[in-house]
């Protein structure tokens, strides 16, 4: 048996938990997340991303109202509510690929990993209404909302509704390397 390669603990232990403590972030915490976000790599260093912070009570309500019912059950408690916005005009498509989406994903991962390293829960979501987000935050075309992110200190999983609690208590698993790494070419079916 060979030893597993060294992987940073923060990558192995990062989770998209749903339990948040009912307290605001300390000063400077969000700024550290924003720094991690901005230092992400991007094709040709175009950085086609923006991070909208729903700070005011009105903006927080807009964020909450755009969530799917399932996400509304837990995410509204998060003290830091973010909208990742991508600008396809700043990173042109190549051969039909929406390159700005890759760049936005890289920046988001920086934020998620930094949050985990700081002991925070940072959960990115796709369960939300894009039209409500774009209209509610006056996101100008051609910019597009890409993800909503809830961030806060870890709370008590026991405080979640039973169906949400069950999700947070599931073991975190990943497919084996030999299931996801294909060498040279896909085998014939």
């Amino acid at each position: 048996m060979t030893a597993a390669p060294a992987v940073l603990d923060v990558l192995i232990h990062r989770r998209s938990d749903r339990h948040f403590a009912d307290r605001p972030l300390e000063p400077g915490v969000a700024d550290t997340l924003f720094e991690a976000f901005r230092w992400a790599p991007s094709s040709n260093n175009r950085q086609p991303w923006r991070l909208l912070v729903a700070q005011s009570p009105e903006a927080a309500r807009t964020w909450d109202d755009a969530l799917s019912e399932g996400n509304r059950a837990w995410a509204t408690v998060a003290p830091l509510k973010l909208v990742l916005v991508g600008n396809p005009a700043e990173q042109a498509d190549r051969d039909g690929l929406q390159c700005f989406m890759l760049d936005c994903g890289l920046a988001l991962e920086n934020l998620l990993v930094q949050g985990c390293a700081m002991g925070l829960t940072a959960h990115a979501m796709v369960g939300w209404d894009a039209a409500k987000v774009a209209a509610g935050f006056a996101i100008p075309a051609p910019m597009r909302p890409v993800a909503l992110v809830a961030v806060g200190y870890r709370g008590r999983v026991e405080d979640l509704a039973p169906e949400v609690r069950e999700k947070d208590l599931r073991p975190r698993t990943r497919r084996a390397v030999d299931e996801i790494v294909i060498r040279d070419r896909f085998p014939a079916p």
Side-chain angles (χ1 to χ4, degrees), residues 156-168:
R156 294 171 10 106
V157 72
E158 298 85 5
D159 294 338
L160 293 170
E163 63 279 2
V164 178
R165 181 181 325 127
E166 180 183 315
K167 292 177 183 179
D168 271 15

Side-chain angles (χ1 to χ4, degrees), residues 3-150:
V7 176
L8 295 174
D9 280 345
V10 70
L11 295 175
I12 294 170
H13 297 292
R14 189 209 60 77
R15 290 184 58 102
S16 295
D17 285 328
R18 295 165 186 82
H19 48 283
F20 295 97
D22 187 18
R23 67 178 174 123
L25 296 179
E26 293 175 19
V29 170
D31 292 334
T32 301
L33 296 173
F34 303 156
E35 276 297 303
F37 178 84
R38 85 179 187 100
W39 281 105
S42 68
S43 180
N44 293 311
N45 199 28
R46 296 282 173 86
Q47 305 169 48
W49 51 64
R50 305 295 184 277
L51 202 54
L52 187 145
V53 182
Q55 268 181 218
S56 70
E58 179 186 10
R61 276 191 303 278
T62 298
W63 192 91
D64 292 350
D65 289 344
L67 294 173
S68 67
E69 186 178 332
N71 286 335
R72 201 174 293 133
W74 59 269
T76 58
V77 178
L80 181 58
K81 300 173 181 198
L82 306 172
V83 180
L84 170 55
V85 178
N87 189 347
E90 291 179 356
Q91 190 65 277
D93 289 357
R94 288 195 197 130
D95 299 323
L97 300 175
Q98 295 180 333
C99 298
F100 83 99
M101 294 291 279
L102 172 61
D103 292 347
C104 286
L106 292 167
L108 177 57
E109 180 68 4
N110 271 20
L111 187 148
L112 297 175
V113 170
Q114 180 66 44
C116 179
M118 297 168 68
L120 300 170
T121 291
H123 190 122
M125 295 167 275
V126 294
W128 43 271
D129 185 314
K132 281 185 178 180
V133 171
F137 293 109
I139 298 172
M143 291 185 177
R144 293 178 26 200
V146 174
L148 267 57
V149 186

